[in-house]
Amino acid sequence: MFKRLFFLLRITITWGLAVSLVVGMYSSLPLIGNFELPAVLFGFGTMGLVIAGAFSHLHRVKLVAGRIDNETLDNRQKRLIEIPLEAGEAFDLVDAAIRELPGVSDVRSARDSLQVRAKVARPQLYGEPPLRRWNPLLWFAPEHNQLQATVLPAGDSGRVTLICEPESPAWRDWFLVDDGINYENAEAISRAITRRIGERRRSEQASATQTATEKELSEARLHLLHAQVEPHFLYNTLASAQLLTRSDPARAEAMLGHLIQYLRRSLPNAEDEMSTLGTELERALAYLEILKIRMGERLNVQTDIPDELRATPLPAMMLQTLVENAIKHGLEPRTGGGTVWLRARRDDAGVAVTVADDGDGFNSKTSGTGIGLKNVRERLRLRYNGAANLSVAANFPRGVAATLTVPASGAASHA
């Protein structure tokens, strides 16, 4: 109540002094001395319109802001807004929010200085007033308001200073009211910034959730692949060992020993955990030794992996997938079998592990569905975030060479 009374007294006294000065000067003119009544009527009429306009301003500010105080009654509004984004991103967000403001025009943005200036047309809140030209509060009112936003870098965030004010000198605020328009503009821009930050956070959360879901799906596909492949391999191995116990017990014992070694390296890594190149090589060699007993002279294995590279971190089962592909789609379909090469080299890109064969190559009849290689690429993308890759090319003079390149340090970027 005190704020309202003070505002009414302030604007009434200001206009009263101005009107008294005008009436006094008018009445002092020599030829108009006998026409004091019109001057008095003008003075009372003007003051009546001023008081009515002041009450209208108070009522609208109450509707817009929900309260009446020095901040809401002021024609010039200032906001300090913290944006949890880098200064350049914060500037882009503020610039977009300002451009969406109704009635905005003449937007001038300078990204180097992180400033935005614009004009905003003053709306006709209640249509065209019938006594507009007689309303003293509109005599000097500007047609546009103006705003300025400046972004101040503050580490990893940006601090925005927003100013919304009439396009007129500050001294006119003693005579004019803006009906809460600049308060509305400041609040609208603040809400737009908050909304855009919220949308950005929801987008980031959705992206993180999607990445996590993709990783879970990738793991599920890997587990499903293991569930389909391992029982088949175990069944064939045990069946072969059973037959060998009658004809060649020594080979049967060797096969079971390699199977035990294979299972020892496989069971602890049933989940998508990081292993090492050495561990994965032992698993792959155990698998190949079992196949050598089953395939006999049709399978030859050559290994060239330096000891210093065996500690290289490597996702579990990746090397095994490449070896299985070389056997199933390269050598098993060939009557004469062939050779599988396992090599590892270190270069500037990291550690390159190659599994090559001299089988049928890219043969449509034996190339399979590609699910295994697709699964390997997806796991590399999720775990290393682009720092690792898988390339598959033709081997000379025949066959296929699959090369897995991972960072030498094995520093994975978990999604």
Side-chain angles (χ1 to χ4, degrees):
M1 191 63 175
F2 174 76
K3 298 294 183 182
R4 297 186 185 186
L5 181 60
F6 178 78
F7 172 78
L8 289 173
L9 287 175
R10 190 205 74 185
I11 199 165
T12 301
I13 292 173
T14 302
W15 272 97
L17 293 175
V19 170
S20 298
L21 180 62
V22 172
V23 170
M25 293 176 60
Y26 178 85
S27 301
S28 64
L29 293 177
L31 298 179
I32 311 181
N34 296 326
F35 296 93
E36 295 182 358
L37 181 59
V40 174
L41 293 177
F42 167 79
F44 278 106
T46 300
M47 292 306 300
L49 291 173
V50 166
I51 294 174
F55 272 106
S56 177
H57 173 73
L58 289 172
H59 180 67
R60 189 166 194 280
V61 168
K62 177 67 174 180
L63 287 176
V64 172
R67 70 184 194 278
I68 292 179
D69 53 29
N70 292 335
E71 178 188 0
T72 57
L73 289 174
D74 198 349
N75 292 346
R76 301 173 192 271
Q77 298 290 325
K78 181 179 180 179
R79 297 288 186 277
L80 296 177
I81 306 172
E82 295 287 341
I83 299 181
L85 299 174
E86 180 269 331
E89 295 178 312
F91 172 82
D92 294 336
L93 189 148
V94 172
D95 182 74
I98 289 176
R99 292 179 184 275
E100 286 188 354
L101 194 66
V104 71
S105 63
D106 193 20
V107 180
R108 292 167 292 171
S109 58
R111 204 173 194 281
D112 288 341
S113 59
L114 300 178
Q115 284 187 326
V116 183
R117 295 177 183 270
K119 293 184 178 180
V120 185
R122 177 167 177 151
Q124 295 181 3
L125 299 175
Y126 310 108
E128 182 67 26
L131 300 177
R132 178 179 177 83
R133 62 176 181 172
W134 301 107
N135 187 348
L137 295 181
L138 299 178
W139 287 348
F140 309 105
E143 294 183 357
H144 292 84
N145 293 308
Q146 62 186 13
L147 59 88
Q148 174 181 329
T150 304
V151 180
L152 300 177
D156 294 333
S157 63
R159 176 177 299 173
V160 180
T161 301
L162 175 66
I163 297 176
C164 300
E165 58 184 350
E167 195 179 35
S168 61
W171 64 266
R172 291 191 184 182
D173 292 352
W174 287 87
F175 299 91
L176 304 176
V177 295
D178 72 339
D179 293 322
I181 294 172
N182 284 295
Y183 180 88
E184 278 187 302
N185 291 340
E187 290 296 305
I189 295 175
S190 300
R191 289 194 303 272
I193 292 174
T194 302
R195 178 183 63 83
R196 288 176 176 271
I197 293 175
E199 289 179 351
R200 186 185 182 97
R201 287 179 175 174
R202 286 192 294 272
S203 177
E204 291 175 349
Q205 292 174 354
S207 178
T209 301
Q210 181 178 3
T211 301
T213 302
E214 289 176 354
K215 185 175 181 180
E216 292 176 358
L217 291 175
S218 179
E219 293 175 354
R221 289 195 295 268
L222 177 64
H223 296 163
L224 178 60
L225 182 63
H226 288 177
Q228 293 173 340
V229 173
E230 291 176 358
H232 180 71
F233 170 70
L234 291 176
Y235 171 79
N236 288 337
T237 301
L238 292 174
S240 298
Q242 185 181 33
L243 293 175
L244 287 175
T245 55
R246 302 169 186 170
S247 59
D248 194 343
R251 292 180 63 195
E253 183 179 358
M255 176 176 284
L256 290 176
H258 292 308
L259 178 60
I260 293 172
Q261 179 73 1
Y262 173 82
L263 292 177
R264 181 182 293 116
R265 295 302 180 187
S266 299
L267 295 180
N269 294 307
E271 298 181 357
D272 186 18
E273 297 176 350
M274 289 297 291
S275 180
T276 64
L277 176 57
T279 300
E280 294 305 299
L281 177 63
E282 292 180 9
R283 187 211 316 267
L285 290 178
Y287 171 81
L288 291 171
E289 289 297 329
I290 293 172
L291 293 181
K292 285 179 67 176
I293 295 176
R294 286 169 47 189
M295 297 176 63
E297 296 181 355
R298 293 178 58 232
L299 176 61
N300 182 34
V301 178
Q302 295 188 17
T303 304
D304 181 14
I305 296 181
D307 292 339
E308 62 269 18
L309 297 182
R310 299 198 176 204
T312 302
L314 191 71
M317 292 301 295
M318 280 194 179
L319 182 63
Q320 182 69 24
T321 299
L322 301 184
V323 171
E324 290 179 3
N325 275 354
I327 295 295
K328 294 179 182 178
H329 309 306
L331 301 185
E332 276 190 345
R334 297 186 72 241
T335 304
T339 302
V340 174
W341 289 271
L342 302 178
R343 300 190 181 96
R345 292 290 182 271
R346 181 168 184 169
D347 54 25
D348 294 338
V351 176
V353 182
T354 301
V355 178
D357 66 79
D358 57 356
D360 286 345
F362 294 107
N363 188 329
S364 60
K365 295 181 180 180
T366 61
S367 59
T369 62
I371 294 177
L373 296 182
K374 182 178 179 181
N375 186 276
V376 169
R377 288 192 173 96
E378 182 70 5
R379 291 175 64 200
L380 288 175
R381 183 185 70 83
L382 293 173
R383 182 167 292 278
Y384 291 97
N385 194 25
N389 65 81
L390 170 67
S391 62
V392 181
N395 192 27
F396 183 81
R398 65 173 182 266
V400 175
T403 300
L404 185 68
T405 303
V406 298
S409 63
S413 175
H414 295 277

